[in-house]
Amino acid sequence: MSFFLKDNFILESDIAEQLYFNYAQNQPIIDYHSHLSPSAIANDINFENITQAWLKGDHYKWRAMRALGIEEEYITGTASDYEKFSKWAQTVPHTLRNPLFHWTHMELKNPFGITEFLNQDTSRKIYDTTSEKLKSQSFSAKGLLSNFNVEMVGTTDDPIDSLEDHLKIRHDNSKVKVLPTFRPDKIFNIDYGNKFRNYLQKLGELTNITIIDLESLLQAFKIRIDYFDRAGCVSSDHGLSAIPHKGKFGKTDIEKIFKEVLNGNDSKAPEIKESFTYFMLVELCKMYHEKGWVQQFHLGALRNSNAYKVSVLGRDTGFDSVGDYKQAETLSVLLNELETTNKLSKTILYNLNPADTTLFATMTGNFQGEGIRGKIQYGSGWWFLDQLDGMTNQINALSNQGLISTFIGMLTDSRSFLSYSRHEYFRRLLCNLFAEDIRKGFLPNDVTWIGSVISDICYYNAKKYFNLN
């Protein structure tokens, strides 16, 4: 079989090739939402082998292997790194029509230069070749970022993280900006008992604040937001099934039950959770606005569905799916409250359920701001939607309901330093979609003008949106 990743992969016309090679391919990458390890970058580590760089923590690959019936020992278990890679190589031929088939071979081609199919016959050769290259300086963490022309990485960081790795990267004058992202999801877990109280204790110790009520809690968070801001943070992020209901409980009731929880009484915590979460979310969003940060909302995941597997392997091990939560009303209530008080920051909304695609695209149009280009963004295809169909639907919905020309483009949302092929995937698709409109006569045949729009989507819009100049 001839290798399928030709130069014109996804590009179905000469116009698409012109748009991609002249206006998209060489634009730097601003990866404004990822789960890369700042420690790996700060210490400029070299991965021991391709399994460590590629399979560790990759839920997409794990789910595919499980679907093939491969034993967990070879996925998250105690099998050797080569045994795990060999089982992945056995899986790859079965992933045809899944984006993993494309991503796998794109990531082998760039950066490793491998242009043959991964399967059981080639697994040993590819494992040895890639693992040897990963030992060199050009394939270190920073070397890989440089290879992919990454200009900025936004990591995902808990409020109590020290950010020492970010500070080290900054002092090293790294060519790549590695900026923390404030992700305070754990504060919403008021019904987690001692885990919640232990978290508050750590927050209090870190900020020298004795947390005894809502005021002291918010004071502690303000201190941490100030700290993140000094460390270069430009955005926050929230992973929620949906924006919580404002609920029937006011601040007085929330305060009373919060104090009870602090004192070890959790009986009313589940009852108050949504109101507490909404209250904290609003207060945090006001703080983000003061800093001029972008706020991100990832909505719609049904997490840790397989309770038995989660009890054995732990949370976030690949047992998540699309949820069918109601999104519109509560999202509108939150944005309205912030808009009414003039505290609505630049906001990116990501949906996971494709049934909500038009909902999210239209919601952005309700809250745009004077003097800010694309203030409220409909975020790129996320998680289960970052494949060709999902990205196409997101682009089309935004084009139909908003302004695609203001879009801030793609991100990796990945833990792997090899995932930057997803930007290439997105850029090729974007160029092909515009080229098809030109070919059909839906857009003028003005490659220079359309190309400038594509360059904005791939790079310049995000650079301006996050104030990276």
Side-chain angles (χ1 to χ4, degrees), residues 335-389:
L335 297 179
N336 260 306
E337 180 156 346
L338 296 172
E339 175 88 340
T340 301
T341 56
N342 195 29
K343 296 293 184 180
L344 181 58
S345 303
K346 293 177 184 176
T347 303
I348 311 173
L349 305 176
Y350 307 88
N351 72 293
L352 198 57
N353 190 335
D356 296 327
T357 294
T358 302
L359 184 164
F360 276 67
T362 56
M363 185 65 72
T364 63
N366 297 332
F367 297 96
Q368 299 294 353
E370 294 182 22
I372 304 175
R373 194 169 184 267
K375 177 180 178 179
I376 312 299
Q377 290 277 329
Y378 176 33
S380 63
W382 166 51
W383 200 346
F384 295 111
L385 300 181
D386 62 355
Q387 24 71 11
L388 294 179
D389 287 345

Side-chain angles (χ1 to χ4, degrees), residues 213-230:
D213 53 18
L214 293 177
E215 183 180 352
S216 54
L217 174 62
L218 293 175
Q219 186 180 357
F221 267 101
K222 186 178 186 307
I223 290 172
R224 294 309 293 169
I225 285 174
D226 288 342
Y227 180 75
F228 269 64
D229 194 61
R230 292 193 298 272

Side-chain angles (χ1 to χ4, degrees), residues 419-437:
S419 290
Y420 286 100
S421 292
R422 294 181 191 178
H423 282 263
E424 178 185 346
Y425 206 47
F426 167 81
R427 292 176 178 187
R428 285 177 177 270
L429 172 65
L430 179 72
C431 292
N432 195 63
L433 290 174
F434 272 96
E436 282 300 288
D437 280 356

Side-chain angles (χ1 to χ4, degrees), residues 275-396:
S275 295
F276 174 76
T277 301
Y278 183 86
F279 170 81
M280 287 300 300
L281 200 56
V282 169
E283 295 302 315
L284 289 170
C285 287
K286 290 176 182 177
M287 296 182 199
Y288 306 152
H289 185 268
E290 290 177 6
K291 295 299 182 185
W293 288 0
V294 174
Q295 57 190 17
Q296 303 177 78
F297 296 99
H298 286 84
L299 306 172
L302 179 63
R303 299 177 186 271
N304 302 304
S305 298
N306 188 327
Y308 170 70
K309 289 292 188 181
V310 170
S311 71
V312 175
L313 301 175
R315 298 172 66 86
D316 302 320
T317 47
F319 299 99
D320 313 299
S321 62
V322 172
D324 58 353
Y325 308 98
K326 289 186 176 181
Q327 301 286 354
E329 185 177 351
T330 52
L331 178 55
S332 180
V333 168
L334 174 67
L335 297 179
N336 260 306
E337 180 156 346
L338 296 172
E339 175 88 340
T340 301
T341 56
N342 195 29
K343 296 293 184 180
L344 181 58
S345 303
K346 293 177 184 176
T347 303
I348 311 173
L349 305 176
Y350 307 88
N351 72 293
L352 198 57
N353 190 335
D356 296 327
T357 294
T358 302
L359 184 164
F360 276 67
T362 56
M363 185 65 72
T364 63
N366 297 332
F367 297 96
Q368 299 294 353
E370 294 182 22
I372 304 175
R373 194 169 184 267
K375 177 180 178 179
I376 312 299
Q377 290 277 329
Y378 176 33
S380 63
W382 166 51
W383 200 346
F384 295 111
L385 300 181
D386 62 355
Q387 24 71 11
L388 294 179
D389 287 345
M391 291 189 294
T392 299
N393 291 337
Q394 186 271 344
I395 290 168
N396 286 339

Side-chain angles (χ1 to χ4, degrees), residues 127 189 205 245 264 300 356 448:
Y127 181 85
N189 298 327
E205 291 171 352
H245 285 274
D356 296 327
T448 301

